[in-house]
PDB file of all heavy atoms in Angstrom:
ATOM      1  N   ILE B  76      -5.018  -6.098  21.547  1.00  0.00           N
ATOM      2  CA  ILE B  76      -4.768  -6.440  22.948  1.00  0.00           C
ATOM      3  C   ILE B  76      -5.981  -6.093  23.795  1.00  0.00           C
ATOM      4  O   ILE B  76      -6.437  -6.885  24.638  1.00  0.00           O
ATOM      5  CB  ILE B  76      -3.509  -5.706  23.464  1.00  0.00           C
ATOM      6  CG1 ILE B  76      -2.272  -6.258  22.782  1.00  0.00           C
ATOM      7  CG2 ILE B  76      -3.385  -5.840  24.970  1.00  0.00           C
ATOM      8  CD1 ILE B  76      -1.030  -5.455  23.042  1.00  0.00           C
ATOM      9  N   PHE B  77      -6.529  -4.895  23.534  1.00  0.00           N
ATOM     10  CA  PHE B  77      -7.689  -4.448  24.303  1.00  0.00           C
ATOM     11  C   PHE B  77      -8.872  -5.393  24.101  1.00  0.00           C
ATOM     12  O   PHE B  77      -9.532  -5.802  25.072  1.00  0.00           O
ATOM     13  CB  PHE B  77      -8.057  -3.023  23.878  1.00  0.00           C
ATOM     14  CG  PHE B  77      -9.296  -2.502  24.526  1.00  0.00           C
ATOM     15  CD1 PHE B  77      -9.294  -2.139  25.860  1.00  0.00           C
ATOM     16  CD2 PHE B  77     -10.475  -2.382  23.809  1.00  0.00           C
ATOM     17  CE1 PHE B  77     -10.434  -1.665  26.461  1.00  0.00           C
ATOM     18  CE2 PHE B  77     -11.620  -1.903  24.399  1.00  0.00           C
ATOM     19  CZ  PHE B  77     -11.600  -1.544  25.726  1.00  0.00           C
ATOM     20  N   LEU B  78      -9.121  -5.771  22.840  1.00  0.00           N
ATOM     21  CA  LEU B  78     -10.249  -6.665  22.552  1.00  0.00           C
ATOM     22  C   LEU B  78     -10.049  -8.006  23.237  1.00  0.00           C
ATOM     23  O   LEU B  78     -10.980  -8.561  23.837  1.00  0.00           O
ATOM     24  CB  LEU B  78     -10.404  -6.870  21.041  1.00  0.00           C
ATOM     25  CG  LEU B  78     -10.974  -5.706  20.239  1.00  0.00           C
ATOM     26  CD1 LEU B  78     -11.071  -6.073  18.772  1.00  0.00           C
ATOM     27  CD2 LEU B  78     -12.351  -5.342  20.761  1.00  0.00           C
ATOM     28  N   ALA B  79      -8.825  -8.534  23.160  1.00  0.00           N
ATOM     29  CA  ALA B  79      -8.561  -9.835  23.775  1.00  0.00           C
ATOM     30  C   ALA B  79      -8.738  -9.755  25.288  1.00  0.00           C
ATOM     31  O   ALA B  79      -9.284 -10.669  25.918  1.00  0.00           O
ATOM     32  CB  ALA B  79      -7.142 -10.291  23.433  1.00  0.00           C
ATOM     33  N   TRP B  80      -8.308  -8.612  25.866  1.00  0.00           N
ATOM     34  CA  TRP B  80      -8.450  -8.448  27.312  1.00  0.00           C
ATOM     35  C   TRP B  80      -9.925  -8.378  27.697  1.00  0.00           C
ATOM     36  O   TRP B  80     -10.374  -9.009  28.648  1.00  0.00           O
ATOM     37  CB  TRP B  80      -7.717  -7.169  27.734  1.00  0.00           C
ATOM     38  CG  TRP B  80      -7.918  -6.793  29.153  1.00  0.00           C
ATOM     39  CD1 TRP B  80      -7.390  -7.421  30.239  1.00  0.00           C
ATOM     40  CD2 TRP B  80      -8.722  -5.730  29.655  1.00  0.00           C
ATOM     41  NE1 TRP B  80      -7.804  -6.805  31.388  1.00  0.00           N
ATOM     42  CE2 TRP B  80      -8.622  -5.763  31.048  1.00  0.00           C
ATOM     43  CE3 TRP B  80      -9.504  -4.743  29.047  1.00  0.00           C
ATOM     44  CZ2 TRP B  80      -9.287  -4.849  31.859  1.00  0.00           C
ATOM     45  CZ3 TRP B  80     -10.157  -3.841  29.847  1.00  0.00           C
ATOM     46  CH2 TRP B  80     -10.048  -3.896  31.245  1.00  0.00           C
ATOM     47  N   ARG B  81     -10.707  -7.587  26.908  1.00  0.00           N
ATOM     48  CA  ARG B  81     -12.123  -7.467  27.194  1.00  0.00           C
ATOM     49  C   ARG B  81     -12.825  -8.814  27.050  1.00  0.00           C
ATOM     50  O   ARG B  81     -13.740  -9.142  27.820  1.00  0.00           O
ATOM     51  CB  ARG B  81     -12.790  -6.468  26.232  1.00  0.00           C
ATOM     52  CG  ARG B  81     -12.664  -5.034  26.618  1.00  0.00           C
ATOM     53  CD  ARG B  81     -13.372  -4.741  27.927  1.00  0.00           C
ATOM     54  NE  ARG B  81     -14.811  -4.923  27.824  1.00  0.00           N
ATOM     55  CZ  ARG B  81     -15.665  -3.990  27.466  1.00  0.00           C
ATOM     56  NH1 ARG B  81     -15.224  -2.800  27.178  1.00  0.00           N
ATOM     57  NH2 ARG B  81     -16.952  -4.227  27.413  1.00  0.00           N
ATOM     58  N   ALA B  82     -12.387  -9.613  26.042  1.00  0.00           N
ATOM     59  CA  ALA B  82     -13.079 -10.876  25.783  1.00  0.00           C
ATOM     60  C   ALA B  82     -12.807 -11.899  26.869  1.00  0.00           C
ATOM     61  O   ALA B  82     -13.646 -12.758  27.146  1.00  0.00           O
ATOM     62  CB  ALA B  82     -12.654 -11.418  24.419  1.00  0.00           C
ATOM     63  N   THR B  83     -11.633 -11.826  27.504  1.00  0.00           N
ATOM     64  CA  THR B  83     -11.265 -12.866  28.468  1.00  0.00           C
ATOM     65  C   THR B  83     -11.345 -12.382  29.909  1.00  0.00           C
ATOM     66  O   THR B  83     -10.967 -13.111  30.820  1.00  0.00           O
ATOM     67  CB  THR B  83      -9.826 -13.356  28.187  1.00  0.00           C
ATOM     68  OG1 THR B  83      -8.954 -12.224  28.202  1.00  0.00           O
ATOM     69  CG2 THR B  83      -9.729 -14.042  26.856  1.00  0.00           C
ATOM     70  N   ARG B  84     -11.829 -11.143  30.110  1.00  0.00           N
ATOM     71  CA  ARG B  84     -11.836 -10.603  31.461  1.00  0.00           C
ATOM     72  C   ARG B  84     -12.846 -11.333  32.337  1.00  0.00           C
ATOM     73  O   ARG B  84     -12.552 -11.759  33.443  1.00  0.00           O
ATOM     74  CB  ARG B  84     -12.156  -9.109  31.396  1.00  0.00           C
ATOM     75  CG  ARG B  84     -11.866  -8.353  32.660  1.00  0.00           C
ATOM     76  CD  ARG B  84     -12.214  -6.912  32.470  1.00  0.00           C
ATOM     77  NE  ARG B  84     -13.479  -6.793  31.761  1.00  0.00           N
ATOM     78  CZ  ARG B  84     -14.270  -5.737  31.843  1.00  0.00           C
ATOM     79  NH1 ARG B  84     -13.908  -4.718  32.577  1.00  0.00           N
ATOM     80  NH2 ARG B  84     -15.400  -5.683  31.188  1.00  0.00           N
ATOM     81  N   LYS B  85     -14.072 -11.423  31.810  1.00  0.00           N
ATOM     82  CA  LYS B  85     -15.123 -12.117  32.577  1.00  0.00           C
ATOM     83  C   LYS B  85     -15.638 -13.248  31.710  1.00  0.00           C
ATOM     84  O   LYS B  85     -16.551 -13.070  30.916  1.00  0.00           O
ATOM     85  CB  LYS B  85     -16.261 -11.141  32.888  1.00  0.00           C
ATOM     86  CG  LYS B  85     -16.055 -10.372  34.173  1.00  0.00           C
ATOM     87  CD  LYS B  85     -17.347  -9.656  34.554  1.00  0.00           C
ATOM     88  CE  LYS B  85     -17.064  -8.223  34.944  1.00  0.00           C
ATOM     89  NZ  LYS B  85     -18.071  -7.296  34.428  1.00  0.00           N
ATOM     90  N   MET B  86     -15.033 -14.404  31.828  1.00  0.00           N
ATOM     91  CA  MET B  86     -15.438 -15.497  30.947  1.00  0.00           C
ATOM     92  C   MET B  86     -16.546 -16.304  31.607  1.00  0.00           C
ATOM     93  O   MET B  86     -16.559 -16.515  32.812  1.00  0.00           O
ATOM     94  CB  MET B  86     -14.248 -16.391  30.648  1.00  0.00           C
ATOM     95  CG  MET B  86     -13.247 -15.706  29.755  1.00  0.00           C
ATOM     96  SD  MET B  86     -12.307 -16.837  28.786  1.00  0.00           S
ATOM     97  CE  MET B  86     -11.115 -17.379  29.967  1.00  0.00           C
ATOM     98  N   SER B  87     -17.505 -16.720  30.770  1.00  0.00           N
ATOM     99  CA  SER B  87     -18.589 -17.541  31.300  1.00  0.00           C
ATOM    100  C   SER B  87     -18.706 -18.805  30.458  1.00  0.00           C
ATOM    101  O   SER B  87     -18.184 -18.878  29.351  1.00  0.00           O
ATOM    102  CB  SER B  87     -19.907 -16.767  31.277  1.00  0.00           C
ATOM    103  OG  SER B  87     -20.203 -16.423  29.940  1.00  0.00           O
ATOM    104  N   ASP B  88     -19.379 -19.809  31.010  1.00  0.00           N
ATOM    105  CA  ASP B  88     -19.526 -21.077  30.299  1.00  0.00           C
ATOM    106  C   ASP B  88     -20.392 -20.922  29.062  1.00  0.00           C
ATOM    107  O   ASP B  88     -20.176 -21.605  28.061  1.00  0.00           O
ATOM    108  CB  ASP B  88     -20.138 -22.135  31.231  1.00  0.00           C
ATOM    109  CG  ASP B  88     -19.090 -22.711  32.160  1.00  0.00           C
ATOM    110  OD1 ASP B  88     -17.906 -22.438  31.898  1.00  0.00           O
ATOM    111  OD2 ASP B  88     -19.456 -23.391  33.129  1.00  0.00           O
ATOM    112  N   VAL B  89     -21.373 -20.040  29.164  1.00  0.00           N
ATOM    113  CA  VAL B  89     -22.192 -19.749  27.988  1.00  0.00           C
ATOM    114  C   VAL B  89     -21.706 -18.418  27.422  1.00  0.00           C
ATOM    115  O   VAL B  89     -22.019 -17.375  27.967  1.00  0.00           O
ATOM    116  CB  VAL B  89     -23.686 -19.661  28.366  1.00  0.00           C
ATOM    117  CG1 VAL B  89     -24.513 -19.460  27.116  1.00  0.00           C
ATOM    118  CG2 VAL B  89     -24.099 -20.906  29.115  1.00  0.00           C
TER     119      VAL B  89
END
Side-chain angles (χ1 to χ4, degrees):
Chain B
I76 292 170
F77 176 73
L78 286 180
W80 173 72
R81 277 296 295 271
T83 55
R84 194 180 43 156
K85 272 192 226 140
M86 290 207 280
S87 61
D88 281 348
V89 184

